[in-house]
Amino acid sequence: MLREYTIMSKTLGLALGAGGTRGIAHVGFLKALEEADIRPDYIAGSSMGSVVGACYSKGMTCDEMRDIAFELKTTDILDVSLIALAKLGLLKSVRVRKLISGFLEDCTFEQLHIPFCCVAVDLKTAELKCFSEGSVVDAVLASSAMPTVFRPVEIDGMLLVDGGVLCRVPVREVKKMGADVVVAVDVLGKVEKLDKVPNVLSLVTRVYDIMDCKRTQTVHTKHSRKIDLWLEPEMEDVSQYKVKNIEAAYEAGYRIGKENAEKIKELISE
């Protein structure tokens, strides 16, 4: 049964950011918007944000996504600390493709209920690519192909990896889709302080996180006029690299959605 939503005067675009398993917060955020009768007109996603955004645009309910997420095991979303060392990170995404294909039913972008796009990075040209046509599964797999974990995805001669490498939160892309109001959800937020860096793998991920955070802050400042609301769910104890505390990620997204639902309504009704 389709849910009825309040018709607003301005179109709403959601930019759902990268963040590994912390991206489950996007599901909680969308659930809070549903309860406030807010429906996005456009969604752009990067990495895990592309997975959640595509599934929601296809018609999956937040409850369905939440239940699936809560049942995930490490073998479904691979743990970087184990896999990258054992296999150099060059893993085929066969298991992930099967999982995502089951959700999206090999649909095209044109078949989605909500206009959607996602971003990935072409290793050959070092450029950001935005996908809004063709196979949604292929585009989402490319957008979420985390370096050192999954092998790059080949599409039309491009060698594609995780969109978060260059674009953690795709605000420009959702604005270009036609959104009057842009709400960005950055599930990674600021880099938390550490007491120690225990090993080489932790060193690599720490350096990557610091670089990513600083770049995102620069982009946020540069494109602040395109962003009506920038949200960062609080979830200090949730690692983007491990299937752990997923419930906490969901609750963090739900909480920040509840806290900002009325503000979003005001933005799209002004």
Side-chain angles (χ1 to χ4, degrees):
M1 182 177 178
L2 294 176
R3 185 181 179 92
E4 294 183 0
Y5 294 88
T6 304
I7 298 176
M8 297 295 180
S9 57
K10 292 184 178 180
T11 58
L12 172 64
L14 301 181
L16 305 182
T21 51
R22 287 169 69 105
I24 302 302
H26 292 312
V27 181
F29 176 73
L30 289 168
K31 177 65 175 179
L33 295 194
E34 276 190 357
E35 291 180 350
D37 294 326
I38 300 172
R39 181 184 188 275
D41 298 284
Y42 306 97
I43 299 177
S46 179
S47 195
M48 191 59 175
S50 75
V51 177
V52 175
C55 290
Y56 192 74
S57 298
K58 178 65 171 61
M60 284 187 70
T61 68
C62 294
D63 290 343
E64 289 172 334
M65 287 190 283
R66 179 200 61 205
D67 292 345
I68 291 169
F70 285 5
E71 293 177 1
L72 284 175
K73 301 175 182 177
T74 304
T75 51
D76 297 318
I77 297 178
L78 300 174
D79 186 338
V80 174
S81 64
L82 296 175
I83 299 301
L85 291 176
K87 299 289 186 177
L88 301 179
L90 300 178
L91 296 176
K92 293 181 179 179
S93 55
V94 175
R95 187 170 298 172
V96 177
R97 172 178 285 276
K98 183 177 180 180
L99 189 68
I100 294 177
S101 295
F103 303 152
L104 299 176
E105 300 174 339
D106 293 322
C107 68
T108 64
F109 282 86
E110 293 73 22
Q111 293 173 312
L112 297 175
H113 302 299
I114 299 173
F116 168 76
C117 74
C118 61
V119 294
V121 176
D122 183 5
L123 292 178
K124 294 182 178 180
T125 63
E127 294 177 344
L128 186 72
K129 301 293 181 181
C130 183
F131 292 90
S132 59
E133 297 178 344
S135 168
V136 179
V137 172
D138 288 345
V140 168
L141 284 174
S143 182
S144 55
M146 184 183 292
T148 75
V149 179
F150 295 111
R151 294 179 182 177
V153 175
E154 294 187 49
I155 299 177
D156 296 332
M158 295 179 287
L159 196 60
L160 300 160
V161 295
D162 199 302
V165 171
L166 288 180
C167 179
R168 190 161 98 185
V169 187
V171 293
R172 288 170 293 180
E173 287 68 26
V174 78
K175 188 68 175 180
K176 289 178 181 178
M177 293 177 78
D180 297 320
V181 173
V182 172
V183 175
V185 184
D186 180 12
V187 297
L188 291 177
K190 299 175 181 64
V191 177
E192 301 293 336
K193 292 183 180 180
L194 288 182
D195 294 328
K196 61 180 180 178
V197 180
N199 53 50
V200 173
L201 184 59
S202 296
L203 172 64
V204 172
T205 56
R206 181 66 175 176
V207 170
Y208 180 84
D209 289 346
I210 292 171
M211 293 172 61
D212 180 40
C213 180
K214 296 302 181 183
R215 183 179 64 251
T216 300
Q217 289 175 351
T218 300
V219 171
H220 182 187
T221 301
K222 181 179 179 181
H223 298 284
S224 59
R225 292 184 179 180
K226 296 184 175 73
I227 306 166
D228 296 277
L229 188 60
W230 181 281
L231 303 176
E232 297 179 4
E234 295 183 9
M235 41 184 158
E236 294 181 5
D237 297 328
V238 183
S239 169
Q240 65 168 313
Y241 302 114
K242 297 180 180 180
V243 182
K244 185 179 180 181
N245 294 335
I246 282 182
E247 294 89 346
Y250 175 88
E251 290 300 329
Y254 180 78
R255 185 165 54 250
I256 203 168
K258 281 290 189 182
E259 291 171 353
N260 289 276
E262 288 304 313
K263 187 171 185 178
I264 294 172
K265 276 190 174 181
E266 290 174 6
L267 287 170
I268 58 182
S269 60
E270 290 176 351

